[in-house]
Amino acid sequence: MVYGHQKGELMNSEKLAFDCAKLLVEKHAEDVKVFDIKELTDIADYFVIASANSQIHLKALVDELEDFLKKNSIRTYHVEGLRALKWVLVDTYTVIIHLFLPEVREYYDLESYWGDAEIYVMEE
């Protein structure tokens, strides 16, 4: 599916997921992972999961993602969790980005729920 254009080329969900993950790594998000879930569910093709080291960092990561999406003409379905800033979800229809504070990520443990997915660990 097409969600935007980047320098004249179409952006598919895989490229979008990895571009978002790379952006998060560049902005010092921790434990960034991409989950290929397209064979497991129809809610999305990919999850991107990452941790921030504080609420301020979490908000900065969300702002960077929103800027990136806007610059690339990628529409979001919705963004949740901006008030509490403990778990923020950015839904771009086929890529859902989950940004957590570490203790919240550990508590909800999405990785174990989606353990059948192909998982890519992003590193600097």
Side-chain angles (χ1 to χ4, degrees):
M1 296 184 85
V2 177
Y3 287 96
H5 296 84
Q6 186 168 348
K7 297 180 183 162
E9 65 185 42
L10 299 178
M11 184 175 291
N12 64 31
S13 57
E14 179 179 21
K15 180 168 176 32
L16 177 58
F18 282 96
D19 284 352
C20 288
K22 287 175 193 171
L23 173 71
L24 292 170
V25 168
E26 290 170 6
K27 299 302 176 182
H28 307 291
E30 299 168 357
D31 197 17
V32 180
K33 296 178 182 174
V34 176
F35 289 67
D36 182 343
I37 60 169
K38 65 182 167 290
E39 300 299 324
L40 303 175
T41 183
D42 61 357
I43 63 169
D45 291 341
Y46 293 88
F47 279 168
V48 177
I49 300 176
S51 296
N53 56 37
S54 68
Q55 287 182 315
I56 293 169
H57 187 216
L58 182 59
K59 178 67 170 111
L61 292 173
V62 172
D63 290 346
E64 289 289 337
L65 272 173
E66 287 181 323
D67 286 348
F68 168 78
L69 296 171
K70 184 182 261 188
K71 285 177 188 172
N72 288 284
S73 303
I74 299 163
R75 294 178 297 156
T76 56
Y77 177 63
H78 64 273
V79 178
E80 296 179 17
L82 288 174
R83 276 197 184 160
L85 284 175
K86 295 180 182 196
W87 174 3
V88 176
L89 179 143
V90 179
D91 187 343
T92 69
Y93 296 95
T94 63
V95 177
I96 300 175
I97 303 138
H98 300 270
L99 302 172
F100 290 97
L101 291 180
E103 61 275 10
V104 177
R105 182 175 178 172
E106 184 179 332
Y107 179 80
Y108 286 102
D109 194 20
L110 290 185
E111 284 93 338
S112 69
Y113 289 114
W114 297 98
D116 292 342
E118 189 166 355
I119 302 169
Y120 304 90
V121 177
M122 304 297 291
E123 297 178 9
E124 288 188 54

